[in-house]
Amino acid sequence: MRPVSTVTGLPVVDLRDHPDALRRRLREVAHEVGFFYLTGHGVPAPLTRAVLEAARRLFALPQADKDAIAMVRSPHFRGYTRLGGELTGGQVDWREQIDIGPQRPPIGGAGQPDYMWLQGPNQWPAGLPELPGLVDSWDAALSRVARTLLRHWAAALGSPPDVFDAAFAETPATLIKIVRYPAGAPTSQGVGAHRDAGVLTLLLAEPGSQGLQVRGRHGGWVDVPAREGAFVVNIGELLELATGGYLRATEHRVNLREAADRISVPYFFNPRLDAQLPVLSLPPDLAARGGMRPDPSDPIFAVYGRNAWKSRLRAHPDVAEAHGYSVGS
């Protein structure tokens, strides 16, 4: 097999491969690159088309209808964000989006860690009544794929396949974003360079679209065009932490060089807000190839909710201010 570190594009992983071959491939790809295309995932093509079509209908709604569910109204960081309403690295991202999580009662408040405010109800656009049911179907389909990947990774790294299961029991804090990057943006920053705060991300991008870029192992950026029938998969900070740095959370961004609109739907598979992933004991040869990359200015917190809270406060300071949250909390 050609060494992953020598390729200029992303490798492809087929989930239908024999488990032994699949685990070898996942073990190397996620260490060397941290990003890959996933095929053979079993998510029905009609469901994928329905999600993308709903995204187009969502962003075609009148601006007043979208603003009626503005995220700033939600203490749970749910709802719609206008163009220029989110920050990465302190700089404005040029995209509009809706953030959707599991529909659950709120649990934040006195005596609870601040990050418990991340659980709560969604805000849904009145002009798109089919969206909640469609999101439920999408969540169920992608959750199965994500759980399958995590079990294969655990086995590939010498641990029981179910070692991560307990962290995702009952109330996993998944997050779905439906995003539009518009044509004619006044900046090249669709979303700035960052690493995902959770465990695992499955990205659906509109066929033919471009703009996503991944940081190469030796510097520079690698273009990641959308691939028909495939998800783009990347590792989050908590999976890097759980594997002692063997699996890598790779920096990525969206660069708005293209003239056409771009729709993407990232699915962030995360554990319970109060969960902490177990740190795996890797075989010596793998452990020797690991090693964390500490950044005092951007620490990784082992409890998922705390790590997610850090990211949400930075990205949406208007929401934090509206609900009295401290950026240092």
Side-chain angles (χ1 to χ4, degrees), residues 1 6 50 59 169 317:
M1 182 175 68
T6 67
F59 295 120

Side-chain angles (χ1 to χ4, degrees), residues 29-78:
V29 163
H31 171 72
E32 293 285 349
V33 184
F35 264 77
F36 58 91
Y37 292 111
L38 183 70
T39 60
H41 44 70
V43 176
L47 177 59
T48 297
R49 288 194 296 271
V51 168
L52 291 173
E53 289 166 2
R56 282 294 176 191
R57 293 195 298 275
L58 168 67
F59 295 120
L61 291 172
Q63 189 64 48
D65 291 4
K66 294 182 286 188
D67 289 340
I69 58 166
M71 182 186 284
V72 74
R73 302 171 183 266
S74 168
H76 317 293
F77 293 84
R78 308 286 180 84

Side-chain angles (χ1 to χ4, degrees), residues 58 77 90 131 137 147 152 164 200 257:
L58 168 67
F77 293 84
L131 190 58
S137 297
R147 289 176 187 274
H152 281 301
F164 295 126
L200 180 64
R257 299 174 305 176

